[in-house]
């Protein structure tokens, strides 16, 4: 039985995760450093606005959808196809969940919520921003690398189907 659609699904997942990772990379590479170099109050306010805006985007939908699609696709590949490709799709899901989805849900999002509750000009906000900018960016680096590794696993899965 041929599974050509699975190859195409792996290619779509490769691109999908890579696009999410590209957004993370942009934040890690230049957006957060620009916000951190801005006047503290301006950086805080800009990040608050970014965090409020992102909730209504396809970006968040993509992160959440990948957390559902990845394990379901891996389970299907394991049951229907087996072999190296199914191991690689399971690896992709196994990388994505902790390094992207869980870091987002339990790392970046709580930090965003805390920042959102602070008045940009307050002493508490300035103190938190010093911690926030460094830690948030570190977590974001982790998400970027997780997306890269997940994309590579999906690309290799696509290439390994018989």
């Amino acid at each position: 039985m041929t599974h050509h659609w699975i190859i195409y699904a792996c290619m779509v997942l490769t691109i999908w995760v890579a696009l999410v990772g590209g957004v993370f990379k942009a934040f890690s590479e230049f957006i957060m450093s620009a916000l951190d170099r801005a006047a503290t109050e301006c950086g805080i306010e800009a990040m608050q606005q970014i965090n409020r805006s992102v909730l209504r985007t396809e970006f968040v939908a993509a992160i959440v959808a990948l957390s559902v699609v990845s394990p379901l696709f891996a389970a299907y590949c394991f049951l229907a196809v087996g072999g190296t490709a199914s191991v690689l799709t399971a690896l992709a899901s196994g990388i994505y969940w902790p390094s992207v989805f869980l870091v987002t849900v339990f790392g970046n999002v709580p930090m965003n919520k805390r920042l959102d509750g602070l008045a940009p000009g307050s002493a508490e906000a300035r103190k938190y921003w010093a911690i926030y900018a460094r830690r948030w960016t570190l977590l974001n680096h982790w998400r970027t690398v997780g997306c890269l590794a997940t994309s590579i696993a999906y690309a290799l899965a696509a290439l390994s189907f018989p």
Side-chain angles (χ1 to χ4, degrees), residues 75-91:
Y76 176 82
C77 289
F78 180 77
L79 295 172
V81 180
T84 303
S86 68
V87 171
L88 288 166
T89 59
L91 178 63

Side-chain angles (χ1 to χ4, degrees), residues 3-14 70 73-74 77-78 81-93 95 148-162:
H3 297 284
H4 289 109
W5 75 269
I6 297 175
I7 296 169
Y8 297 124
C10 284
M11 293 175 1
V12 166
L13 287 166
T14 299
S70 290
F73 183 65
C77 289
F78 180 77
V81 180
T84 303
S86 68
V87 171
L88 288 166
T89 59
L91 178 63
S93 180
I95 294 168
L148 176 62
T150 301
S151 293
I152 290 169
Y154 278 130
L156 292 173
L159 294 171
S160 70
F161 274 100

Side-chain angles (χ1 to χ4, degrees), residues 1 4 9 17 21-22 24 26-27 32 35 45 54-55 78 87 90-91 100 102 114 136 144 146 149-150:
M1 179 166 134
H4 289 109
V17 175
F24 291 147
F27 268 86
M32 286 304 293
L35 294 176
E45 186 174 3
V54 77
L55 296 175
F78 180 77
V87 171
L91 178 63
V100 180
L102 294 179
R114 179 171 176 201
W136 193 98
T144 303
T150 301

